[in-house]
């Protein structure tokens, strides 16, 4: 698309890309947005005071394609605030969030807009994302469990609880959602995206497609998998948000509390607990046991975690045995994922197609 062709029609969709010190990955993300089959969009990059070559990277892309716009904070204002400020500045009928380490597949916006066209009452259109690491190993695609089509509230909300939630990299929102549902809740922290998706689906119609729209890329620096991230305050605030909304039937709120609390406890027990033991982060595992015992009265789980942590720290064979158990567990998981790998392995190459040329 030439600049003249772009200027002839204003953008319909804004791609919001908050970023911080990931210039190379950011370039890949921007290129994936510019490569859409639906061209009437703008890509707005919100730099959280990176202080590196992020600005130069974006400027080069912007000079070649006027759809790319750059905004930079003087200092790092925090992850959630950067997302919120980007959201508040949307001036197009539709928008989506693109994490700086993820990529959009070429027909993402085309597919999402098709959902809105078929179901104009929907305030959110979700496509399927592949969860994949940089090596092309596919971990899952949650929306493949869903039945495609329109979900009236609270059916979409309940389906998120039962079948897994969309990854918002593969979601397009109407701008109206900002006025009807507000912006992200900064207090929810890490799960602010899930909190927002749940709040929207609890009150408004959403449309879902099982067509692939994006790739959620995991890597050692991914915010969602960074070790030693205690999610307690954010998850508790998210649970509170989902259970205090009086517009939602009380039985739906009760189910949300049950499901989300169970997921929250499991994250503390496994992710913050046993995964810390695997990585020999003994203090973190004991901290997880303390939270389970003192904040939630789960004495049995806390005792199991404390005992496992002590044994693996002081008895080398115990840590070796736990590593073996986890290795077997990973093999079983890989076996379950083999079908997805066969079905979607060609998409791994798309990460390389969007990657910048490095001399």
């Amino acid at each position: 698309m030439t600049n003249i062709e772009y200027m002839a029609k204003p953008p319909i969709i804004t791609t919001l890309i908050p970023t911080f010190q990931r210039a190379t990955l950011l370039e890949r993300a921007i290129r994936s947005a510019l490569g859409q089959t639906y061209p009437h969009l703008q890509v707005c990059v919100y730099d959280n005071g990176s202080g590196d070559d992020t600005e130069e990277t974006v400027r080069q892309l912007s000079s070649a394609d006027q759809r790319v716009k750059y905004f930079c904070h003087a200092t790092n204002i925090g992850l959630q605030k950067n997302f919120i400020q980007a959201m508040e500045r949307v001036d197009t009928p539709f928008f989506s969030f693109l994490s700086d380490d993820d990529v959009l597949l070429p027909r993402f916006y085309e597919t999402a807009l098709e959902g809105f066209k078929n179901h104009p009452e929907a305030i959110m259109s979700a496509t399927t994302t592949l969860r994949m690491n940089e090596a092309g190993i596919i971990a899952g695609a949650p929306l493949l469990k869903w039945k495609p089509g329109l979900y009236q509230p609270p059916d979409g909300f309940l389906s998120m609880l039962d079948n897994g939630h969309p990854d918002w990299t593969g979601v397009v929102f109407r701008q109206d959602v900002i006025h009807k549902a507000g912006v992200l809740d900064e207090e929810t922290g890490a799960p602010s995206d899930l909190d927002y998706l749940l709040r929207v689906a609890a009150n408004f119609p959403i449309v879902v497609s099982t067509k692939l729209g994006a790739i959620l890329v995991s890597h050692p620096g991914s915010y969602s998998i960074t070790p030693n991230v205690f999610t307690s305050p954010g998850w508790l605030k998210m649970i509170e948000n989902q259970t205090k909304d009086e517009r939602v039937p009380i039985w739906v709120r009760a189910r949300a509390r049950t499901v989300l609390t169970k997921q929250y406890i499991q994250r503390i027990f496994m992710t913050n607990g046993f995964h810390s033991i695997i990585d020999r982060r003994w203090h973190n595992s004991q901290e997880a046991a303390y939270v389970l015992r003192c904040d939630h009265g789960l004495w049995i789980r806390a005792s199991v975690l404390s005992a496992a942590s002590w044994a693996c720290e002081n008895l080398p064979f115990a840590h070796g045995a736990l590593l073996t158990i986890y290795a077997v567990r990973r093999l079983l998981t890989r076996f379950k994922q083999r079908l997805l790998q066969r079905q979607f392995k060609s998409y791994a190459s798309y990460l390389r197609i969007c990657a910048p040329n490095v001399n």
Side-chain angles (χ1 to χ4, degrees), residues 59-256:
R59 296 295 185 196
Q60 289 181 6
L61 292 169
S62 179
S63 65
D65 194 320
Q66 291 183 9
R67 292 178 296 172
V68 180
K69 305 179 186 302
Y70 178 72
F71 307 89
C72 185
H73 300 292
T75 59
N76 190 323
I77 63 173
L79 181 68
Q80 272 70 37
K81 283 185 178 179
N82 196 22
F83 273 80
I84 290 170
Q85 289 199 13
M87 197 175 188
E88 291 173 336
R89 296 180 182 180
V90 171
D91 59 359
T92 54
F94 303 94
F95 71 95
S96 75
F97 280 110
L98 174 58
S99 298
D100 56 13
D101 50 358
D102 295 337
V103 299
L104 302 179
L105 295 173
R107 296 187 179 276
F108 167 55
Y109 286 132
E110 182 182 324
T111 301
L113 289 178
E114 182 182 358
F116 284 124
K117 180 180 178 181
N118 294 335
H119 302 283
E121 65 270 47
I123 201 168
M124 169 183 130
S125 181
T127 66
T128 300
T129 57
L130 282 180
R131 295 178 179 179
M132 178 189 298
N133 66 17
E134 291 284 358
I137 303 299
I138 297 171
L143 280 196
L144 292 182
K145 299 177 183 178
W146 290 50
K147 180 180 179 181
L150 183 70
Y151 287 77
Q152 294 288 353
D155 293 342
F157 178 80
L158 293 171
S159 192
M160 287 187 193
L161 295 177
D162 294 338
N163 300 315
H165 62 88
D167 295 307
W168 77 348
T169 295
V171 170
V172 175
F173 298 97
R174 290 190 186 275
Q175 186 193 32
D176 288 351
V177 75
I178 300 172
H179 306 292
K180 294 180 177 180
V183 296
L184 303 184
D185 182 348
E186 184 181 352
E187 294 182 20
T188 56
S192 59
D193 53 347
L194 174 57
D195 172 72
Y196 196 73
L197 292 172
L198 287 169
R199 284 194 281 133
V200 170
N203 290 286
F204 307 102
I206 67 171
V207 61
V208 169
S209 172
T210 52
K211 294 180 180 179
L212 295 184
I215 301 176
L216 186 79
V217 187
S218 63
H219 54 89
S222 297
Y223 180 69
S224 59
I225 63 172
T226 301
N228 195 23
V229 176
F230 249 88
T231 57
S232 301
W235 269 80
L236 291 175
K237 184 60 166 63
M238 180 178 68
I239 293 171
E240 177 188 342
N241 287 345
Q242 308 312 319
T243 54
K244 73 179 183 181
D245 189 345
E246 295 183 355
R247 296 172 296 176
V248 180
I250 190 168
W251 69 270
V252 175
R253 286 183 274 156
R255 175 158 179 75

Side-chain angles (χ1 to χ4, degrees), residues 1-8 39 64-67:
M1 182 183 211
T2 66
N3 289 335
I4 295 177
E5 291 172 326
Y6 163 65
M7 295 173 65
D65 194 320
Q66 291 183 9
R67 292 178 296 172

